[in-house]
Amino acid sequence: MEGIADMGGTSGWGPARPPRADEPVFAEPWQGRAAALTILATRVSGRNVDAFRHAQERLDRAAYLDEGYFGRWLNAAELMLTEGAILAPGEIDARARDLRGEHVENPPVSVAVAESARPDVGPSTAALAAWRSAPGSLRTIDVVPAFAVGQRVRAKSISPSGHTRLPGYVRGHAGVVEVIQPAAVFPDTHAHFLGENPQHVYSVRFDSHELWGEGADSFAVTVELFENYLETTS
């Protein structure tokens, strides 16, 4: 889907600075708690990592940018819990106001959630057990890769309405396959519980001038792209 999350390759965000060698994993204690809460929210709401990424995609600009990286995680966690009918809309704000002494009652949970949207619904212990036993994203498939190393390919010029890992800045542009990676679960369907659809993944090298025109500095960008994102060039 098109949204604020697809920032890669766009201008206007200022310089990118490499992290310090001694940079801590969590700069502040609340960030570690935010990470743990988000992982727990993903588990108990029956979501998966791709559904979590899709929740981030659907945040508005303020929720995505204004509170930093882990603030974004918390906002996505709240969205997943609300859509999973575990939290009521506005319940977090109501609890915060109540803690400030405003004596606000929690709103009732009244969201109807389709069964297909919560395939892992059940006791929290069952959801946690399913998460722990999950096989990860890599798969072994008995399908010959559609593209070969050294082959010139093009990223499809498409605008999926749901979750996708196809960056906007490479769509419609041609590159060369450098490596065929292990097959993996296709996030575009997995995020919506429409099946794993495992497929080959390719490391595709794009020239900077192909992506941003002749005025760009000369360098190459390598992007990991699922087979469904690619097509042969004419």
Side-chain angles (χ1 to χ4, degrees):
M1 63 178 293
E2 312 296 338
I4 186 62
D6 192 12
M7 299 169 63
T10 61
S11 60
W13 303 105
R17 298 181 177 87
R20 305 191 321 269
D22 61 345
E23 181 175 298
V25 176
F26 302 112
E28 300 178 17
W30 73 268
Q31 296 175 345
R33 293 194 291 270
L37 285 170
T38 301
I39 293 170
L40 181 60
T42 304
R43 295 176 179 180
V44 301
S45 63
R47 267 48 181 179
N48 55 54
V49 65
D50 295 309
F52 165 58
R53 288 170 175 153
H54 186 47
Q56 292 186 78
E57 287 177 328
R58 291 179 289 127
L59 298 174
D60 61 30
R61 183 187 178 95
Y64 191 85
L65 293 177
D66 290 357
E67 295 166 335
Y69 184 80
F70 289 104
R72 182 184 312 151
W73 277 39
L74 281 178
N75 290 330
E78 182 179 355
L79 178 59
M80 290 189 294
L81 291 171
T82 301
E83 291 180 339
I86 295 169
L87 288 177
E91 185 171 351
I92 296 295
D93 289 338
R95 291 188 183 187
R97 292 174 61 191
D98 188 58
L99 289 172
R100 291 196 296 265
E102 298 182 34
H103 306 294
V104 177
E105 292 186 6
N106 287 339
V109 176
S110 59
V111 179
V113 180
E115 182 70 18
S116 61
R118 298 181 65 204
D120 297 326
V121 168
S124 59
T125 53
L128 291 174
W131 181 283
R132 293 191 186 102
S133 62
S137 297
L138 299 182
R139 297 291 184 272
T140 300
I141 59 176
D142 296 324
V143 179
V144 177
F147 308 103
V149 172
Q151 182 175 355
R152 190 167 175 81
V153 295
R154 187 180 307 278
K156 294 178 180 178
S157 183
I158 55 177
S159 297
S161 59
H163 178 60
T164 187
R165 302 291 286 173
L166 174 60
Y169 72 97
V170 303
R171 297 176 193 176
H173 293 288
V176 177
V177 174
E178 288 202 324
V179 179
I180 301 176
Q181 302 287 358
V185 172
F186 188 47
D188 299 41
T189 54
H190 194 226
H192 302 283
F193 310 109
L194 298 175
E196 291 191 346
N197 191 21
Q199 54 191 259
H200 296 289
V201 180
Y202 303 83
S203 297
V204 181
R205 185 178 187 270
F206 295 89
D207 184 86
S208 60
H209 303 294
E210 165 72 17
L211 298 176
W212 294 290
E214 292 304 316
D217 294 337
S218 295
F219 59 92
V221 176
T222 302
V223 185
E224 312 298 319
L225 297 173
F226 284 83
E227 194 164 273
N228 275 19
Y229 297 158
L230 298 171
E231 60 189 4
T232 58
T233 57
S234 56

